[in-house]
Amino acid sequence: MFVFLCAGCGARLTIPLSQIALPAHAHQKYGNGIQLPVLMESGTFAVDPEPWGPPWRRWEEIHPEEATARGVYAPAFALSDGAPGAVVIAPGDASGTVLIPDRRAGGYCCGLDGADGPNVACVECSLPVASRIDDCSLWQATWLAPDAVRRVPVDGAGAAPLSWSELMEAGKATPPFEPIATWGSRMGAGHWSNYWWSWSPQWEAAAGQALAHLLAASEGQPVTVPGGLAGRIFQRALDALLPAGVPARCAALAGPRLPAPGKDVSILLVPSHPQTGKTWSPAVPAPYLVPLPFGVWLWLAFPEPDLPVPTSGTLPTGALRDDFDAPAPCPRHLFRADPEVFRHTLVRLPAVRNPRLREILDNLTHHMRAGLF
């Protein structure tokens, strides 16, 4: 457990927090005018190892050798020249901070987006220490500036990360679709207006990340994934982006409590640990491991029944009703991986230097118009 202090005066800026892995959807922008929830679970924080935020430099201003040294192997729109190591927390876990009045207008549409730099200051010394993000289509979060805060351990021993066995008992699966609300709409008991059922933004981000790895693992050959939900998530894009023919490379789900994959499987879709970010590894090494966020992997590996939804009306707190028997509606459109998470991941894989993958990257806008992303 840690708390974060102001680097200027030492004032305490957060409650005690435990570290988890940076979510795949941390920098996702989803749709237009969408009301996204809080990114981080209360009591946790994550660290972005890469620079993020202003100042930005356009790709044309960056020498290829510098980009390669930063682990970027293909053109990106821009790279941040900010300090690496920004810390993201739930907004409610911050304390002793205040919005900076002249930075409050620095938003994209309906709120703050942090584009102008830190918009939150330490109450004690007025040092800018964080960026509050609450704009539409962005995940609600507070990002602590790495050069403006200090992390110190809380007295007492912290809990060790859960083992994979413990995680399988306590971990939560992420449903593949959910109600999406527009900005200003209300969702709760009796309020189901201005929303629709859609594929989960978290799943679209996870698929964008995983699809980049699947294409890198293909080495230009077709790839098949398991049927069912995994097929709905990946196969349409794989078939469109990779050449047809045989032999195809086989991908399969692997991880805790799953049987060992067959000998013909060369690509494994495996979970990443939600606390450490480390990828699960099989006893017999596989040529290529494709990481999936644990909650997404858990639902793919051990699908749960469709969640019921209420029909209408309100009930007193704690009361139960007997009309929660209709399954949640399925999304009306085919699944599409998040294009920007896909781009962000692919340009950081050395395999993107392959002409076929570079062509996919260069034609990403076309693939988006075709409905693959």
Side-chain angles (χ1 to χ4, degrees):
M1 302 289 289
F2 299 89
V3 295
F4 290 86
L5 310 180
C6 174
C9 67
R12 186 162 167 168
L13 301 177
T14 71
I15 66 172
L17 304 169
S18 59
Q19 186 170 3
I20 65 172
L22 185 71
H25 53 285
H27 296 295
Q28 182 184 34
K29 184 181 187 302
Y30 188 81
N32 182 29
I34 304 301
Q35 182 180 343
L36 291 177
V38 174
L39 173 67
M40 301 296 292
E41 184 178 351
S42 181
T44 66
F45 74 94
V47 179
D48 190 343
E50 293 193 26
W52 192 265
W56 296 87
R57 273 194 298 158
R58 297 175 58 184
W59 180 257
E60 294 78 10
E61 303 171 5
I62 301 170
H63 193 278
E65 292 184 0
E66 179 188 353
T68 300
R70 295 179 60 168
V72 180
Y73 304 98
F77 291 132
L79 292 181
S80 170
D81 270 351
V87 175
V88 62
I89 65 173
D93 289 346
S95 62
T97 60
V98 63
L99 283 172
I100 302 173
D102 62 350
R103 296 285 182 89
R104 294 186 66 176
Y108 176 73
C109 180
C110 301
L112 304 172
D113 66 0
D116 294 341
N119 53 28
V120 171
C122 170
V123 167
E124 296 296 330
C125 69
S126 300
L127 177 72
V129 293
S131 295
R132 173 71 168 95
I133 309 296
D134 63 5
D135 207 352
C136 60
S137 297
L138 300 177
W139 291 85
Q140 302 274 310
T142 293
W143 289 84
L144 303 176
D147 52 358
V149 299
R150 293 188 293 111
R151 180 173 67 178
V152 296
V154 178
D155 291 340
L162 297 176
S163 67
W164 285 108
S165 296
E166 293 170 332
L167 192 58
M168 292 298 294
E169 295 293 337
K172 296 180 181 179
T174 304
F177 43 86
E178 62 186 64
I180 300 296
T182 56
W183 186 260
S185 63
R186 295 181 296 173
M187 292 183 56
H191 300 296
W192 290 78
S193 59
N194 298 326
Y195 85 98
W196 67 96
W197 283 86
S198 177
W199 292 101
S200 165
Q202 295 186 51
W203 275 66
E204 294 187 13
Q209 183 182 73
L211 183 59
H213 284 279
L214 283 167
L215 292 174
S218 72
E219 296 184 351
Q221 295 180 255
V223 172
T224 61
V225 296
L229 184 56
R232 294 173 68 187
I233 300 301
F234 296 114
Q235 198 63 64
R236 185 170 68 98
L238 290 171
D239 290 345
L241 298 175
L242 293 173
V246 290
R249 296 199 165 192
C250 294
L253 288 164
R257 298 186 182 174
L258 286 181
K263 295 182 179 179
D264 60 332
V265 174
S266 58
I267 303 171
L268 299 182
L269 297 160
V270 298
S272 56
H273 198 288
Q275 293 173 299
T276 67
K278 293 182 179 180
T279 301
W280 179 88
S281 297
V284 178
Y288 209 102
L289 300 179
V290 174
L292 287 170
F294 179 79
V296 172
W297 174 89
L298 187 59
W299 193 288
L300 283 173
F302 304 98
E304 298 182 12
D306 290 335
L307 299 177
V309 297
T311 53
S312 63
T314 62
L315 283 176
T317 302
L320 300 176
R321 64 189 305 158
D322 59 4
D323 59 352
F324 279 67
D325 54 0
C330 291
R332 297 180 180 179
H333 60 82
L334 296 174
F335 184 87
R336 297 187 293 264
D338 188 291
E340 293 309 317
V341 176
F342 171 80
R343 185 199 306 272
H344 178 86
T345 305
L346 188 59
V347 300
R348 286 162 174 78
L349 298 178
V352 74
R353 294 163 168 161
N354 178 281
R356 179 173 292 277
L357 292 188
R358 180 60 184 273
E359 181 182 3
I360 292 172
L361 182 66
D362 293 342
N363 292 323
L364 185 56
T365 300
H366 168 75
H367 298 313
M368 291 168 63
R369 291 171 180 165
L372 296 179
F373 294 92

